[in-house]
Amino acid sequence: QLQLVESGGGSVQAGDSLRISCAASGGDFMSYTMGWFRRAPGKEREFVAAISGKGRTTDYTASVKGRFTLSRDNVRNTVYLQMNSLKPEDTAVYYCAGYYSRGYGLSTTSDDYNYWGQGTQVTVSS
């Protein structure tokens, strides 16, 4: 069982940067593909980014490519989402999630993720 705890959310101005983190415990962290999803007010939860177990492969939704960077530290059992050039439309609750790696591909579908954190709020003001 993987337990996930997010941190680092907050309120920033448009154009600012923010890094949110997700600390994992209770499992062989490197065996899990990790991802971030977000839910904006009044919208469905959407995929943001994912990273493979060893951190060699990443995937991003189009709206954050070039602005967000997902990385992981398999010694500290932590994933990091560095968010640059933030926009008001990035305002959402951000959720860290993970699933036991299948050995191929990175899922962008929330149903594939078995483990979830409680979420951290990111608010971007214009």
Side-chain angles (χ1 to χ4, degrees):
Q1 294 282 348
L2 203 62
Q3 289 85 46
L4 304 173
V5 178
E6 301 98 334
S7 62
S11 296
V12 297
Q13 297 289 316
D16 285 352
S17 297
L18 194 66
R19 188 180 79 163
I20 56 178
S21 304
C22 173
S25 61
D28 179 13
F29 185 60
M30 196 182 299
S31 296
Y32 291 85
T33 295
M34 301 299 297
W36 285 93
F37 290 76
R38 65 186 180 186
R39 187 192 298 273
K43 294 189 176 181
E44 298 282 322
R45 182 169 56 189
E46 66 169 348
F47 168 78
V48 177
I51 189 167
S52 61
K54 293 184 178 179
R56 293 173 181 168
T57 307
T58 54
D59 190 16
Y60 300 89
T61 192
S63 63
V64 309
K65 278 183 180 177
R67 299 189 298 122
F68 290 13
T69 302
L70 180 57
S71 61
R72 65 189 294 160
D73 184 334
N74 286 340
V75 173
R76 292 181 169 84
N77 289 357
T78 302
V79 291
Y80 304 97
L81 185 65
Q82 176 67 44
M83 304 182 289
N84 298 331
S85 301
L86 282 161
K87 304 175 180 180
E89 50 264 43
D90 294 318
T91 294
V93 177
Y94 283 71
Y95 297 92
C96 176
Y99 67 90
Y100 198 83
S101 297
R102 299 174 293 204
Y104 61 90
L106 297 175
S107 176
T108 63
T109 304
S110 60
D111 287 348
D112 288 335
Y113 289 76
N114 308 111
Y115 305 100
W116 292 83
Q118 80 288 352
T120 186
Q121 176 70 47
V122 173
T123 302
V124 185
S125 303
S126 58

PDB file of all heavy atoms in Angstrom, residues 14 54 56-57:
ATOM      1  N   ALA A  14       0.165  35.444 -11.371  1.00  0.00           N
ATOM      2  CA  ALA A  14       0.415  34.944 -12.726  1.00  0.00           C
ATOM      3  C   ALA A  14       1.861  35.243 -13.113  1.00  0.00           C
ATOM      4  O   ALA A  14       2.376  36.334 -12.854  1.00  0.00           O
ATOM      5  CB  ALA A  14      -0.548  35.586 -13.708  1.00  0.00           C
ATOM      6  N   LYS A  54      11.669   4.803 -12.857  1.00  0.00           N
ATOM      7  CA  LYS A  54      13.065   5.226 -12.749  1.00  0.00           C
ATOM      8  C   LYS A  54      13.265   6.680 -13.158  1.00  0.00           C
ATOM      9  O   LYS A  54      14.378   7.188 -13.115  1.00  0.00           O
ATOM     10  CB  LYS A  54      13.951   4.321 -13.599  1.00  0.00           C
ATOM     11  CG  LYS A  54      14.009   2.890 -13.084  1.00  0.00           C
ATOM     12  CD  LYS A  54      14.972   2.036 -13.897  1.00  0.00           C
ATOM     13  CE  LYS A  54      15.050   0.618 -13.323  1.00  0.00           C
ATOM     14  NZ  LYS A  54      15.961  -0.242 -14.118  1.00  0.00           N
ATOM     15  N   ARG A  56      12.850   8.001 -16.136  1.00  0.00           N
ATOM     16  CA  ARG A  56      13.431   8.199 -17.458  1.00  0.00           C
ATOM     17  C   ARG A  56      12.425   8.738 -18.470  1.00  0.00           C
ATOM     18  O   ARG A  56      12.800   9.319 -19.487  1.00  0.00           O
ATOM     19  CB  ARG A  56      14.005   6.880 -17.967  1.00  0.00           C
ATOM     20  CG  ARG A  56      15.201   6.400 -17.174  1.00  0.00           C
ATOM     21  CD  ARG A  56      15.627   5.014 -17.612  1.00  0.00           C
ATOM     22  NE  ARG A  56      16.771   4.533 -16.826  1.00  0.00           N
ATOM     23  CZ  ARG A  56      17.199   3.279 -16.829  1.00  0.00           C
ATOM     24  NH1 ARG A  56      16.589   2.380 -17.570  1.00  0.00           N
ATOM     25  NH2 ARG A  56      18.233   2.923 -16.089  1.00  0.00           N
ATOM     26  N   THR A  57      11.142   8.519 -18.187  1.00  0.00           N
ATOM     27  CA  THR A  57      10.107   8.905 -19.127  1.00  0.00           C
ATOM     28  C   THR A  57       9.069   9.766 -18.440  1.00  0.00           C
ATOM     29  O   THR A  57       8.667   9.471 -17.304  1.00  0.00           O
ATOM     30  CB  THR A  57       9.405   7.654 -19.705  1.00  0.00           C
ATOM     31  OG1 THR A  57      10.395   6.779 -20.231  1.00  0.00           O
ATOM     32  CG2 THR A  57       8.439   8.036 -20.805  1.00  0.00           C
TER      33      THR A  57
END
